Amino acid sequence: TIVVKPKILKSKLTCPQNLKDFKSQIIEDDFENVVSTIKKVYEIYQPKLAEGNKEKLGVFTTVLFEYLLELSNKTIGAENHEYVRLMDFLARTICNLTEKYQELFLEAFRKHITDAHERLLVQDIAKFPLQSDAILLTLVGRTFSTSDKFHLVVIPALLVAGEALEFMSPENNKTQMFFGLYLCDLLL
């Protein structure tokens, strides 16, 4: 059987301002569709084309950050090359645009760091660590200057990483052991 995938016409494509809107415009299992939709949004909503586009793209970029973190918690294996390419594309896009939309990203990163910290304090192994926690801390290191001792994102992220190493019980849980090893490598 032939499966015809719906195409979104440029004129009907909107600049998603939340995760629900973004998901309504993509075919989630088709990673190539996700990438092409993201590229189309950036092409159609270039700041030079209309007033307000820069602000819309700023919000959309934080939506991509939310999508990356949500996607990272799904049980899709690293052997799925399309998934790996999509994750890499999203991470590179976010890292490249963070400086352009710094205030929005500071807020988004801090929200997720606070969420990770709250889940860590509950000390429920089902809630911390998640794969998205590793992605979040990795993106902090790739995106922001880690030498800034007063950075609004880096310092809270370092504190969460340090607390995670203190509170986790790697001898009782493989996930916590591997997350702890990853954190040690990341911090070095």
Side-chain angles (χ1 to χ4, degrees), residues 147-166:
S147 63
D148 183 351
K149 302 299 181 215
F150 300 100
H151 198 280
L152 296 171
V153 171
V154 173
I155 298 306
L158 288 172
L159 291 172
V160 167
E163 282 187 59
L165 289 172
E166 179 183 355

PDB file of all heavy atoms in Angstrom, residues 147-166:
ATOM      1  N   SER A 147      32.415  29.432  32.295  1.00  0.00           N
ATOM      2  CA  SER A 147      33.425  30.092  33.122  1.00  0.00           C
ATOM      3  C   SER A 147      32.851  31.299  33.865  1.00  0.00           C
ATOM      4  O   SER A 147      33.498  31.839  34.752  1.00  0.00           O
ATOM      5  CB  SER A 147      34.608  30.530  32.259  1.00  0.00           C
ATOM      6  OG  SER A 147      34.178  31.494  31.309  1.00  0.00           O
ATOM      7  N   ASP A 148      31.635  31.703  33.531  1.00  0.00           N
ATOM      8  CA  ASP A 148      30.988  32.838  34.185  1.00  0.00           C
ATOM      9  C   ASP A 148      30.450  32.372  35.540  1.00  0.00           C
ATOM     10  O   ASP A 148      29.501  31.597  35.610  1.00  0.00           O
ATOM     11  CB  ASP A 148      29.856  33.366  33.301  1.00  0.00           C
ATOM     12  CG  ASP A 148      29.167  34.590  33.859  1.00  0.00           C
ATOM     13  OD1 ASP A 148      29.438  34.958  35.022  1.00  0.00           O
ATOM     14  OD2 ASP A 148      28.354  35.185  33.134  1.00  0.00           O
ATOM     15  N   LYS A 149      31.053  32.835  36.594  1.00  0.00           N
ATOM     16  CA  LYS A 149      30.698  32.380  37.950  1.00  0.00           C
ATOM     17  C   LYS A 149      29.398  32.988  38.478  1.00  0.00           C
ATOM     18  O   LYS A 149      28.990  32.680  39.584  1.00  0.00           O
ATOM     19  CB  LYS A 149      31.842  32.683  38.928  1.00  0.00           C
ATOM     20  CG  LYS A 149      33.145  32.050  38.554  1.00  0.00           C
ATOM     21  CD  LYS A 149      33.025  30.545  38.518  1.00  0.00           C
ATOM     22  CE  LYS A 149      34.368  29.927  38.170  1.00  0.00           C
ATOM     23  NZ  LYS A 149      34.299  28.764  37.388  1.00  0.00           N
ATOM     24  N   PHE A 150      28.775  33.861  37.705  1.00  0.00           N
ATOM     25  CA  PHE A 150      27.524  34.470  38.133  1.00  0.00           C
ATOM     26  C   PHE A 150      26.419  34.256  37.098  1.00  0.00           C
ATOM     27  O   PHE A 150      25.426  34.981  37.090  1.00  0.00           O
ATOM     28  CB  PHE A 150      27.715  35.980  38.387  1.00  0.00           C
ATOM     29  CG  PHE A 150      28.742  36.257  39.442  1.00  0.00           C
ATOM     30  CD1 PHE A 150      30.029  36.627  39.097  1.00  0.00           C
ATOM     31  CD2 PHE A 150      28.417  36.111  40.782  1.00  0.00           C
ATOM     32  CE1 PHE A 150      30.980  36.875  40.072  1.00  0.00           C
ATOM     33  CE2 PHE A 150      29.360  36.349  41.768  1.00  0.00           C
ATOM     34  CZ  PHE A 150      30.649  36.730  41.420  1.00  0.00           C
ATOM     35  N   HIS A 151      26.584  33.274  36.227  1.00  0.00           N
ATOM     36  CA  HIS A 151      25.626  33.056  35.145  1.00  0.00           C
ATOM     37  C   HIS A 151      24.296  32.561  35.698  1.00  0.00           C
ATOM     38  O   HIS A 151      24.246  31.705  36.577  1.00  0.00           O
ATOM     39  CB  HIS A 151      26.183  32.061  34.127  1.00  0.00           C
ATOM     40  CG  HIS A 151      25.475  32.119  32.825  1.00  0.00           C
ATOM     41  ND1 HIS A 151      24.272  31.503  32.615  1.00  0.00           N
ATOM     42  CD2 HIS A 151      25.788  32.748  31.670  1.00  0.00           C
ATOM     43  CE1 HIS A 151      23.880  31.732  31.359  1.00  0.00           C
ATOM     44  NE2 HIS A 151      24.784  32.483  30.782  1.00  0.00           N
ATOM     45  N   LEU A 152      23.205  33.101  35.150  1.00  0.00           N
ATOM     46  CA  LEU A 152      21.865  32.798  35.648  1.00  0.00           C
ATOM     47  C   LEU A 152      21.385  31.383  35.334  1.00  0.00           C
ATOM     48  O   LEU A 152      20.408  30.927  35.918  1.00  0.00           O
ATOM     49  CB  LEU A 152      20.867  33.807  35.074  1.00  0.00           C
ATOM     50  CG  LEU A 152      21.083  35.259  35.501  1.00  0.00           C
ATOM     51  CD1 LEU A 152      20.179  36.187  34.707  1.00  0.00           C
ATOM     52  CD2 LEU A 152      20.850  35.406  36.986  1.00  0.00           C
ATOM     53  N   VAL A 153      22.053  30.691  34.423  1.00  0.00           N
ATOM     54  CA  VAL A 153      21.670  29.326  34.086  1.00  0.00           C
ATOM     55  C   VAL A 153      22.755  28.342  34.522  1.00  0.00           C
ATOM     56  O   VAL A 153      22.463  27.293  35.101  1.00  0.00           O
ATOM     57  CB  VAL A 153      21.398  29.182  32.569  1.00  0.00           C
ATOM     58  CG1 VAL A 153      21.207  27.728  32.177  1.00  0.00           C
ATOM     59  CG2 VAL A 153      20.176  29.986  32.179  1.00  0.00           C
ATOM     60  N   VAL A 154      23.988  28.690  34.269  1.00  0.00           N
ATOM     61  CA  VAL A 154      25.100  27.761  34.528  1.00  0.00           C
ATOM     62  C   VAL A 154      25.204  27.415  36.009  1.00  0.00           C
ATOM     63  O   VAL A 154      25.315  26.234  36.369  1.00  0.00           O
ATOM     64  CB  VAL A 154      26.429  28.341  34.001  1.00  0.00           C
ATOM     65  CG1 VAL A 154      27.601  27.465  34.416  1.00  0.00           C
ATOM     66  CG2 VAL A 154      26.377  28.477  32.481  1.00  0.00           C
ATOM     67  N   ILE A 155      25.163  28.394  36.875  1.00  0.00           N
ATOM     68  CA  ILE A 155      25.342  28.137  38.310  1.00  0.00           C
ATOM     69  C   ILE A 155      24.218  27.250  38.865  1.00  0.00           C
ATOM     70  O   ILE A 155      24.501  26.246  39.531  1.00  0.00           O
ATOM     71  CB  ILE A 155      25.482  29.462  39.105  1.00  0.00           C
ATOM     72  CG1 ILE A 155      26.718  30.221  38.630  1.00  0.00           C
ATOM     73  CG2 ILE A 155      25.543  29.187  40.605  1.00  0.00           C
ATOM     74  CD1 ILE A 155      28.022  29.451  38.659  1.00  0.00           C
ATOM     75  N   PRO A 156      22.939  27.542  38.589  1.00  0.00           N
ATOM     76  CA  PRO A 156      21.894  26.620  39.063  1.00  0.00           C
ATOM     77  C   PRO A 156      22.048  25.211  38.483  1.00  0.00           C
ATOM     78  O   PRO A 156      21.808  24.222  39.180  1.00  0.00           O
ATOM     79  CB  PRO A 156      20.588  27.267  38.600  1.00  0.00           C
ATOM     80  CG  PRO A 156      20.918  28.711  38.455  1.00  0.00           C
ATOM     81  CD  PRO A 156      22.342  28.763  38.013  1.00  0.00           C
ATOM     82  N   ALA A 157      22.478  25.110  37.237  1.00  0.00           N
ATOM     83  CA  ALA A 157      22.682  23.790  36.628  1.00  0.00           C
ATOM     84  C   ALA A 157      23.806  23.040  37.332  1.00  0.00           C
ATOM     85  O   ALA A 157      23.700  21.835  37.596  1.00  0.00           O
ATOM     86  CB  ALA A 157      22.988  23.930  35.138  1.00  0.00           C
ATOM     87  N   LEU A 158      24.888  23.736  37.644  1.00  0.00           N
ATOM     88  CA  LEU A 158      25.995  23.113  38.380  1.00  0.00           C
ATOM     89  C   LEU A 158      25.547  22.663  39.765  1.00  0.00           C
ATOM     90  O   LEU A 158      25.961  21.594  40.247  1.00  0.00           O
ATOM     91  CB  LEU A 158      27.176  24.074  38.488  1.00  0.00           C
ATOM     92  CG  LEU A 158      27.962  24.332  37.206  1.00  0.00           C
ATOM     93  CD1 LEU A 158      28.977  25.454  37.418  1.00  0.00           C
ATOM     94  CD2 LEU A 158      28.648  23.068  36.728  1.00  0.00           C
ATOM     95  N   LEU A 159      24.726  23.469  40.417  1.00  0.00           N
ATOM     96  CA  LEU A 159      24.214  23.090  41.740  1.00  0.00           C
ATOM     97  C   LEU A 159      23.346  21.835  41.665  1.00  0.00           C
ATOM     98  O   LEU A 159      23.451  20.948  42.512  1.00  0.00           O
ATOM     99  CB  LEU A 159      23.443  24.253  42.366  1.00  0.00           C
ATOM    100  CG  LEU A 159      24.292  25.453  42.789  1.00  0.00           C
ATOM    101  CD1 LEU A 159      23.405  26.617  43.210  1.00  0.00           C
ATOM    102  CD2 LEU A 159      25.259  25.071  43.899  1.00  0.00           C
ATOM    103  N   VAL A 160      22.497  21.767  40.652  1.00  0.00           N
ATOM    104  CA  VAL A 160      21.659  20.575  40.474  1.00  0.00           C
ATOM    105  C   VAL A 160      22.535  19.358  40.206  1.00  0.00           C
ATOM    106  O   VAL A 160      22.310  18.281  40.775  1.00  0.00           O
ATOM    107  CB  VAL A 160      20.624  20.774  39.343  1.00  0.00           C
ATOM    108  CG1 VAL A 160      19.971  19.458  38.949  1.00  0.00           C
ATOM    109  CG2 VAL A 160      19.565  21.778  39.774  1.00  0.00           C
ATOM    110  N   ALA A 161      23.548  19.514  39.361  1.00  0.00           N
ATOM    111  CA  ALA A 161      24.449  18.398  39.065  1.00  0.00           C
ATOM    112  C   ALA A 161      25.168  17.940  40.332  1.00  0.00           C
ATOM    113  O   ALA A 161      25.268  16.737  40.608  1.00  0.00           O
ATOM    114  CB  ALA A 161      25.451  18.802  37.990  1.00  0.00           C
ATOM    115  N   GLY A 162      25.636  18.891  41.122  1.00  0.00           N
ATOM    116  CA  GLY A 162      26.313  18.543  42.371  1.00  0.00           C
ATOM    117  C   GLY A 162      25.388  17.858  43.354  1.00  0.00           C
ATOM    118  O   GLY A 162      25.752  16.856  43.982  1.00  0.00           O
ATOM    119  N   GLU A 163      24.183  18.374  43.506  1.00  0.00           N
ATOM    120  CA  GLU A 163      23.210  17.748  44.401  1.00  0.00           C
ATOM    121  C   GLU A 163      22.833  16.359  43.912  1.00  0.00           C
ATOM    122  O   GLU A 163      22.651  15.445  44.713  1.00  0.00           O
ATOM    123  CB  GLU A 163      21.951  18.610  44.517  1.00  0.00           C
ATOM    124  CG  GLU A 163      22.117  19.800  45.425  1.00  0.00           C
ATOM    125  CD  GLU A 163      20.798  20.529  45.651  1.00  0.00           C
ATOM    126  OE1 GLU A 163      19.840  19.899  46.157  1.00  0.00           O
ATOM    127  OE2 GLU A 163      20.735  21.720  45.297  1.00  0.00           O
ATOM    128  N   ALA A 164      22.716  16.197  42.605  1.00  0.00           N
ATOM    129  CA  ALA A 164      22.376  14.884  42.050  1.00  0.00           C
ATOM    130  C   ALA A 164      23.455  13.877  42.415  1.00  0.00           C
ATOM    131  O   ALA A 164      23.161  12.749  42.837  1.00  0.00           O
ATOM    132  CB  ALA A 164      22.214  14.971  40.538  1.00  0.00           C
ATOM    133  N   LEU A 165      24.713  14.268  42.287  1.00  0.00           N
ATOM    134  CA  LEU A 165      25.811  13.368  42.644  1.00  0.00           C
ATOM    135  C   LEU A 165      25.786  13.033  44.133  1.00  0.00           C
ATOM    136  O   LEU A 165      26.134  11.922  44.529  1.00  0.00           O
ATOM    137  CB  LEU A 165      27.157  13.988  42.252  1.00  0.00           C
ATOM    138  CG  LEU A 165      27.427  14.055  40.752  1.00  0.00           C
ATOM    139  CD1 LEU A 165      28.688  14.864  40.470  1.00  0.00           C
ATOM    140  CD2 LEU A 165      27.532  12.660  40.161  1.00  0.00           C
ATOM    141  N   GLU A 166      25.360  13.979  44.944  1.00  0.00           N
ATOM    142  CA  GLU A 166      25.305  13.742  46.388  1.00  0.00           C
ATOM    143  C   GLU A 166      24.147  12.823  46.775  1.00  0.00           C
ATOM    144  O   GLU A 166      24.310  11.923  47.595  1.00  0.00           O
ATOM    145  CB  GLU A 166      25.163  15.074  47.124  1.00  0.00           C
ATOM    146  CG  GLU A 166      25.082  14.925  48.629  1.00  0.00           C
ATOM    147  CD  GLU A 166      24.865  16.236  49.349  1.00  0.00           C
ATOM    148  OE1 GLU A 166      24.860  17.305  48.708  1.00  0.00           O
ATOM    149  OE2 GLU A 166      24.691  16.189  50.586  1.00  0.00           O
TER     150      GLU A 166
END
